[in-house]
Amino acid sequence: MKKVNLAVVGATGNVGRMILKVLEEKDFPIENLYLFSSKKSAGSEIEFKGKKYVVEELTEDVFDRDIDIATFSAGGTISEKFAPIAASKGITVVDNSSRFRMEKDIPLVVPEVNGKEALNNSGIIANPNCSTIQSVLPLKPLYDKYGIKRVIYNTYQAVSGSGMKAIEDLANKTCEVYPYPIAYNCLPHIDVFLENGYTKEEMKMIEETRKILDDDSLKVTATTVRVPIKNSHAVSINVELEKDFDIEEITKDFESFPGIIIRDDIENNIYPLEQESDGKDEVFVGRIRRDFSVDNGINFWCVADNLRKGAASNTVQIAEIVANEMQ
């Protein structure tokens, strides 16, 4: 892979800093690195690979330079304004916001599932919702081998998904970010409520799953819950398959799929834990069992670090696909 000129928009935020950490861990081949943020954070310094970089204020003309790839993690409003500007300059944007995910001509990519779609872009590639990313990894081998009739999601999402203030709310037992205190509480309310009774987060999972698996007819429903955990999301997934299956064979299907680690030994109380996935890029899957209430039903539990695989690591993986194509 040749060295590329890379920009990180939202460099001082939780996800931006994690992107830089993952880039450093992976020794991503960077020729020149540019860090952008809001006016408030501009001027601060961030160390990367032993070198200090000054964060610049994001303005419309910052992309008038030789940049190959730009990662965006500064929210939908910033992405809506600045991502098209960057793309118009010939820069490939990997966007973490929800702004472009459901745009017809913008690929929504989880590299292990549909990585080739990243190359079918017109300048912008969308990074899916964190809970969707970890969920579609185990769904993909099931979909390809058995077919899927219906998916039911119930999520248990950590406060880090809401930013530093939410982490402080949990630690200090305060109530600044959510409508109720998150300490000692579970809130069945992530993002805003819509007219159909679902939250925006729930509809993201439903619509994004269909798009990533390329099946608009797939039946999907979701309930998303914020829980008093600092980092890493868990999802209970119930799937009704088109064909009959053997549990041991499905476990092997999961094991052989890239990015999945099995933790499923109930005799020894081994199952995926948010504590274990924290700081890792893999999706942990366990509690794999047949759902006897329907034909060809299966339940499993999956856990992943929402800041890494759910955002930063998936972004860097997409950037790697793009950079490889630049050879």
Side-chain angles (χ1 to χ4, degrees), residues 131-149:
S131 292
T132 306
I133 290 173
Q134 71 184 74
S135 299
V136 294
L137 257 74
L139 286 182
K140 176 63 172 173
L142 298 181
Y143 185 89
D144 288 349
K145 188 170 182 177
Y146 304 96
I148 292 178
K149 283 187 178 180

Side-chain angles (χ1 to χ4, degrees), residues 14 158-167 177-178 190 226 233 306:
N14 274 356
V159 297
S160 59
S162 301
M164 282 302 302
K165 288 185 178 180
I167 294 174
V177 175
Y178 306 118
I190 300 179
R226 190 72 70 188
H233 292 348
N306 55 293

